[in-house]
Amino acid sequence: MKKIKKSNFEKMVNSLLQSGSTIIAPVLKKGKHYFSRIESFDKISLDYCQTVLSPKAVYFPSTDSLMRYENEHNNVKIIEVEVPKNPVIVLGVKPCDAYALSYLSEFFLKENSDTYIQVRKENTTIVGFTCTHSDDKCFCTSLNINPFDTKGTDIHFTDIGEEYYVESITEKGNEIIKNFNTMFEDSQTIDKKEYSSNPPIKFDLEKIRLTDKFESSVWLDQSLLCLGCGACAYSCPTCSCFDIQDESNPYSGERLRCWDSCGFGLFTLHASGHNPRHDQSNRWRNRVFHKFEYSVKNLGIISCVGCGRCIRVCPGGMNISEHLAELATI
Amino acid sequence: MKQFEPKIIAFVCNWCTYAGADLAGTSRLKYAPNVRIVRFPCTGRIDYQLILKAFENGADGIIVSGCHPNDCHYTSGNFYARRRWIVFKSLIDFMGFDNRRMYFSWISAAEGAKFASFINEVTDSIRKLGPYTDYSNLRKIGVGSIGEEL
Amino acid sequence: MTVLARVSELLDSQQINLFIGYTQKGSICPLFLKESDQVDKLIFNEDCLQNLVPYLNKHEVQSFGKIGIFCTFSALRSLLQLKSEKRFSNLSIIPFLVISDDEFVEFGSYEEIESYIEKNFKKGDDNVQEMIDKINLMSTEEKWEFWTNELTGCIKCYACRSACPMCYCDKCSVEINNPQWVPTASHSQGNLEWHVMRAMHLAGRCVNCNECFRACPMDIPLNLLTSKINADMEVAFGQIPGTKLKLDYAMSCYKFDDKDNFIR
Ligand code: SF4
Ligand code: SF4
Ligand code: SF4
Ligand code: SF4
């Protein structure tokens, strides 16, 4: 294990910036935190509870170009899109988000590797941080994620006062330590729990059994509050749905991958006009089932990390942790 | 250097302005060739989104033109259109669209001369403004992913 | 009688099958009551700002048939505007405007709402007007800069649309996809087009409830757009949305002498 003085950490970040790395970190804007590209160290604001949007766009941008094409007298030419290969460092990623990023890469890369996301992942270093601020909407601990976990990070920092306690998790992490080896000192193993936030457990995950609840009336009752927008899915670090759109004219065009949400009625609307998920209760059920049933079946992972973002952004006051607590009792 | 030639899209109604353009032609009045005319049955059908689409696809200027008030072939289409333009104008001015690139006019079937001189005047002033890129430049894929808020 | 007692009474006597109000769970959120046993969870205070009327547009909610609902003043206006747009013909709605625990107005008809609004009319939020005035003073370039900056952040989650009482279309224009009319992509151009379109659709209809702004996760002040054009329309056409039960919708009527100073 290693540690690094905060002053050296600043020097390290500045030197990474100078060497041409793109650094994405939480930044304070109009009173809220957003992951954003930084130009200098002083823009970083690490004492945050939760950013409005998750860092998932680093892998999976809200609008992603997949290819372009040109058409000249019916000769269609495909122009491949180069995903930029410059190194990207995402700094200040909390354990919940890092966990979510590892889920996303499982999702996009496990069976059929998605090249766009593959390239981004290869060039991205995730610098995790032990969580120090939580609020009443956080519930990672209820999902067996600890606010100091390192899953999904390449290197993990814990604020221990004047210094950061540093754990290197992957080769990329080792690389950073190697490149700045004069700044890192050896350290004893510490109990990170003492330095982390500790959101209370809100429900017993074991008690949530969805399989036989598909037809339950609970979905209608819970979803009455839902207004059917995409705010939850778009802010969620694990939501991975997208819509392929061609923006084109007769001469040229571009194929885009845009975020989509199963909360929208249009998501499942058939061309015939039939909609198998015809009202919001079906859509809400799908959201919960996907996260807690389907992804467990498909990938063996629950695809909710308890970050609470969907609760914070919902204009209708939907609260997934309360709804899960309710599901645990029935 | 070659002089910049603006692309101007004119959305016009069939019965007045289009006929006015015709008259300008048959009267052998010369007007700038920069204008592409799109003919509609009535100004009432000219959706404001068409203007945005034109800018999106590289128009440097826009003309919307139809029958004078009280002259509409369908009696009142241009009155409805006028209300829509009043509101649209208030919105786009508020949003800071370059309003020097949008022209609204009434040109009747008998006003071939007005049509020709109007086109020339619009073309001249838009030529002076240069190409319009504010709108098409907005289409940047990937901004908003890394760079802006994620 | 307190408002809670009255809500209980209505639920117990089945004069309503559903009551939509507010409750406090960490933060304030809507509460849907089907029975009176949880009526004491209802709260009402000055922080209860969410306009609940958009819920009445959901068909799951409509299937309750007889519905009571807490309304703020602008929510009441949205209800009246929706009625003037011939909505809710199959619903019986009992709106409540709560002033304090035992001071409230229960409306028995839309006419009553109309006259209440007329008597108590207050213009929307002062902060909104202040911002609009500020933007009005900007140069064209500054306005463009301001709006493109703000709208770049839009992620096209459509929370603004979902939360707006007046956005009730079964098929929204952004869902017209054959061909795709408004871009789905949330690049700045698609965002701008979406917001121009949405503001135009709320011309003569926005009741200044500011719910769109409150709903937006990215804090985009898009209520300024609708508020601005509606303020201009009030001057130009003399109509204020959500104040009249019988309405000649400003965008589907005209006067011979409508003033324009830009058409040549
Ligand atoms: S569902 Fe909600 S709490 Fe769970 S990961 Fe997504 S945004 Fe976070
Ligand atoms: S546009 Fe915004 S302020 Fe206007 S009615 Fe809709 S939600 Fe309310
Ligand atoms: S934006 Fe327009 S089309 Fe879409 S729901 Fe609102 S009013 Fe309807
Ligand atoms: S709520 Fe905000 S982010 Fe979502 S679509 Fe509306 S303006 Fe865009």
Side-chain angles (χ1 to χ4, degrees):
Chain A
M1 299 307 132
K2 299 275 178 191
K3 56 187 182 182
I4 184 171
K5 287 208 182 65
K6 285 192 174 165
S7 55
N8 278 336
F9 176 70
E10 174 170 352
K11 282 194 200 122
M12 181 183 94
V13 172
N14 281 329
S15 117
L16 284 167
L17 276 170
Q18 270 158 23
S19 68
S21 294
T22 299
I23 301 193
I24 316 274
V27 168
L28 189 64
K29 280 181 200 159
K30 288 198 255 169
K32 289 187 184 170
H33 283 89
Y34 297 86
F35 275 102
S36 197
R37 183 177 183 157
I38 54 150
E39 309 294 345
S40 66
F41 181 84
D42 51 342
K43 286 273 165 0
I44 307 177
S45 168
L46 284 170
D47 55 343
Y48 73 105
C49 170
Q50 201 57 279
T51 52
V52 176
L53 302 183
S54 80
K56 76 174 166 190
V58 173
Y59 289 173
F60 172 44
S62 60
T63 295
D64 198 3
S65 175
L66 302 182
M67 63 161 191
R68 282 183 284 122
Y69 45 92
E70 274 165 13
N71 176 15
E72 216 175 296
H73 311 299
N74 284 335
N75 272 326
V76 180
K77 202 166 88 208
I78 307 270
I79 305 158
E80 294 208 22
V81 170
E82 281 277 332
V83 183
K85 289 206 172 71
N86 66 317
V88 176
I89 297 169
V90 196
L91 208 124
V93 179
K94 292 204 175 196
C96 50
D97 285 344
Y99 193 99
L101 287 171
S102 76
Y103 164 79
L104 275 187
S105 40
E106 277 287 282
F107 176 82
F108 281 111
L109 305 178
K110 194 170 182 184
E111 275 172 22
N112 302 304
S113 183
D114 181 313
T115 31
Y116 306 87
I117 285 165
Q118 177 81 48
V119 173
R120 288 200 187 93
K121 186 179 154 62
E122 275 163 14
N123 294 297
T124 304
T125 308
I126 307 292
V127 181
F129 270 71
T130 292
C131 173
T132 49
H133 294 61
S134 63
D135 68 6
D136 59 338
K137 285 147 187 118
C138 292
F139 62 103
C140 56
T141 46
S142 313
L143 301 170
N144 301 330
I145 298 172
N146 291 308
F148 45 82
D149 281 354
T150 56
K151 184 172 171 158
T153 65
D154 293 303
I155 182 167
H156 185 95
F157 286 67
T158 304
D159 187 341
I160 52 170
E162 298 299 303
E163 296 168 315
Y164 289 112
Y165 173 73
V166 185
E167 297 157 275
S168 170
I169 312 298
T170 66
E171 248 336 283
K172 284 183 200 157
N174 294 343
E175 192 78 357
I176 292 189
I177 293 187
K178 208 176 85 202
N179 291 346
F180 296 92
N181 60 353
T182 53
M183 297 183 182
F184 289 95
E185 299 157 41
D186 286 330
S187 162
Q188 307 268 296
T189 309
I190 60 155
D191 184 6
K192 287 183 284 175
K193 207 170 177 166
E194 280 172 35
Y195 301 95
S196 88
S197 64
N198 188 17
I201 292 181
K202 301 206 163 150
F203 50 82
D204 184 353
L205 185 60
E206 293 297 305
K207 292 224 172 73
I208 299 179
R209 293 262 176 271
L210 294 178
T211 319
D212 56 347
K213 293 200 183 67
F214 198 77
E215 302 294 347
S216 163
S217 64
V218 70
W219 308 113
L220 177 63
D221 289 344
Q222 293 188 342
S223 71
L224 281 173
L225 275 76
C226 173
L227 289 157
C229 70
C232 52
Y234 288 8
S235 63
C236 177
T238 62
C239 276
S240 50
C241 285
F242 55 80
D243 182 17
I244 302 286
Q245 289 279 334
D246 279 2
E247 288 188 357
S248 59
N249 58 40
Y251 312 106
S252 66
E254 184 163 19
R255 179 156 297 175
L256 303 174
R257 164 159 63 190
C258 310
W259 285 353
D260 203 349
S261 164
C262 64
F264 292 138
L266 197 68
F267 191 78
T268 44
L269 184 66
H270 294 181
S272 67
H274 171 67
N275 195 339
R277 292 188 205 135
H278 50 84
D279 63 22
Q280 211 54 41
S281 67
N282 307 148
R283 298 171 202 140
W284 166 242
R285 176 179 64 196
N286 182 71
R287 185 170 176 78
V288 176
F289 264 74
H290 182 193
K291 296 199 174 298
F292 292 87
E293 182 89 358
Y294 309 144
S295 42
V296 178
K297 279 195 183 136
N298 295 338
L299 296 166
I301 321 174
I302 288 178
S303 55
C304 167
V305 295
C307 69
R309 283 194 179 84
C310 53
I311 309 173
R312 293 182 197 93
V313 297
C314 180
M318 289 284 278
N319 186 321
I320 192 169
S321 86
E322 280 172 16
H323 286 146
L324 289 167
E326 186 183 3
L327 288 164
T329 63
I330 56 173
Chain B
M1 207 178 83
K2 237 178 82 193
Q3 148 170 281
F4 162 68
E5 288 302 337
K7 284 195 214 78
I8 298 168
I9 308 293
F11 297 108
V12 304
C13 85
N14 179 39
W15 303 99
C16 292
T17 306
Y18 192 78
D22 229 9
L23 180 63
T26 46
S27 324
R28 294 175 178 268
L29 293 172
K30 267 224 160 96
Y31 61 87
N34 303 54
V35 174
R36 276 72 161 170
I37 295 181
V38 186
R39 177 163 60 146
F40 287 78
C42 177
T43 38
R45 169 61 184 87
I46 305 174
D47 194 301
Y48 50 86
Q49 288 203 67
L50 294 168
I51 296 183
L52 299 184
K53 290 288 173 210
F55 283 138
E56 184 183 319
N57 286 293
D60 302 301
I62 297 284
I63 291 170
V64 179
S65 182
C67 310
H68 284 272
N70 290 318
D71 281 354
C72 178
H73 183 79
Y74 307 100
T75 334
S76 53
N78 57 355
F79 286 124
Y80 292 110
R82 181 168 64 184
R83 281 217 161 178
R84 197 181 310 141
W85 304 131
I86 292 172
V87 176
F88 184 62
K89 190 86 167 80
S90 125
L91 178 64
I92 56 175
D93 285 354
F94 187 64
M95 294 180 88
F97 272 83
D98 191 345
N99 46 18
R100 297 167 304 173
R101 296 177 183 272
M102 276 173 252
Y103 287 84
F104 297 84
S105 72
W106 307 129
I107 296 175
S108 79
E111 292 175 320
K114 178 174 175 185
F115 182 83
S117 68
F118 185 61
I119 296 290
N120 287 335
E121 188 198 322
V122 170
T123 309
D124 277 347
S125 48
I126 291 181
R127 190 182 287 121
K128 283 199 198 93
L129 293 175
Y132 185 46
T133 49
D134 286 4
Y135 194 73
S136 45
N137 276 352
L138 288 178
R139 193 181 175 285
K140 285 201 208 92
I141 307 294
V143 174
S145 58
I146 294 173
E148 309 292 328
E149 284 94 346
L150 286 174
Chain C
M1 188 184 248
T2 66
V3 64
L4 296 193
R6 178 64 185 146
V7 172
S8 294
E9 185 178 80
L10 287 171
L11 282 166
D12 287 338
S13 62
Q14 289 178 0
Q15 282 169 275
I16 56 174
N17 302 323
L18 179 72
F19 189 83
I20 313 176
Y22 305 92
T23 192
Q24 177 112 34
K25 293 198 248 167
S27 42
I28 289 167
C29 63
L31 180 68
F32 289 73
L33 286 178
K34 290 186 251 178
E35 264 143 75
S36 62
D37 55 344
Q38 296 198 4
V39 116
D40 53 339
K41 289 210 177 135
L42 279 177
I43 60 153
F44 194 91
N45 58 40
E46 64 280 3
D47 296 326
C48 296
L49 290 169
Q50 187 186 344
N51 184 348
L52 301 175
V53 169
Y55 286 114
L56 297 172
N57 289 319
K58 282 181 73 174
H59 65 92
E60 297 99 309
V61 173
Q62 290 186 355
S63 65
F64 285 90
K66 295 179 283 186
I67 303 165
I69 184 167
F70 275 165
C71 284
T72 58
F73 184 76
S74 49
L76 214 54
R77 278 179 63 194
S78 61
L79 199 56
L80 191 68
Q81 176 69 21
L82 286 164
K83 190 65 192 173
S84 75
E85 295 179 10
K86 316 254 183 322
R87 300 279 294 165
F88 305 147
S89 54
N90 53 347
L91 282 188
S92 112
I93 300 166
I94 305 184
F96 285 81
L97 190 116
V98 187
I99 295 151
S100 67
D101 274 351
D102 39 25
E103 201 190 343
F104 64 92
V105 193
E106 177 185 336
F107 297 92
S109 70
Y110 286 98
E111 284 75 16
E112 279 175 42
I113 300 179
E114 186 179 27
S115 62
Y116 182 89
I117 289 173
E118 197 187 332
K119 278 197 214 89
N120 298 283
F121 191 78
K122 48 179 186 278
K123 270 269 155 65
D125 198 332
D126 288 341
N127 296 334
V128 173
Q129 196 48 50
E130 228 169 79
M131 272 305 286
I132 292 178
D133 292 342
K134 216 172 101 193
I135 298 171
N136 278 336
L137 291 177
M138 293 180 184
S139 69
T140 302
E141 292 76 23
E142 286 166 342
K143 288 178 186 165
W144 183 253
E145 174 85 14
F146 174 85
W147 282 111
T148 45
N149 268 340
E150 287 287 352
L151 297 180
T152 299
C154 172
I155 49 173
K156 290 259 180 78
C157 67
Y158 302 133
C160 46
R161 175 188 72 179
S162 302
C164 173
M166 310 315 301
C167 271
Y168 53 72
C169 303
D170 282 338
K171 189 164 188 179
C172 172
S173 285
V174 296
E175 288 162 4
I176 306 295
N177 54 4
N178 193 16
Q180 188 72 35
W181 195 220
V182 179
T184 297
S186 59
H187 47 63
S188 302
Q189 193 182 69
N191 293 348
L192 199 85
E193 199 170 328
W194 151 236
H195 287 287
V196 168
M197 184 272 278
R198 194 176 112 72
M200 285 300 287
H201 287 191
L202 287 144
R205 308 176 60 234
C206 169
V207 294
N208 312 107
C209 66
N210 301 327
E211 197 53 47
C212 45
F213 172 53
R214 228 172 281 128
C216 178
M218 305 304 283
D219 293 340
I220 298 167
L222 66 163
N223 56 333
L224 301 181
L225 299 175
T226 48
S227 294
K228 155 74 182 171
I229 56 175
N230 279 284
D232 285 3
M233 286 175 76
E234 185 189 334
V235 177
F237 314 130
Q239 286 189 12
I240 307 174
T243 55
K244 289 274 176 305
L245 185 49
K246 289 225 159 27
L247 186 70
D248 288 324
Y249 173 47
M251 298 296 279
S252 54
C253 64
Y254 61 87
K255 289 208 183 87
F256 289 116
D257 56 352
D258 280 336
K259 291 273 169 304
D260 63 69
N261 49 14
F262 58 91
I263 305 182
R264 314 209 312 183

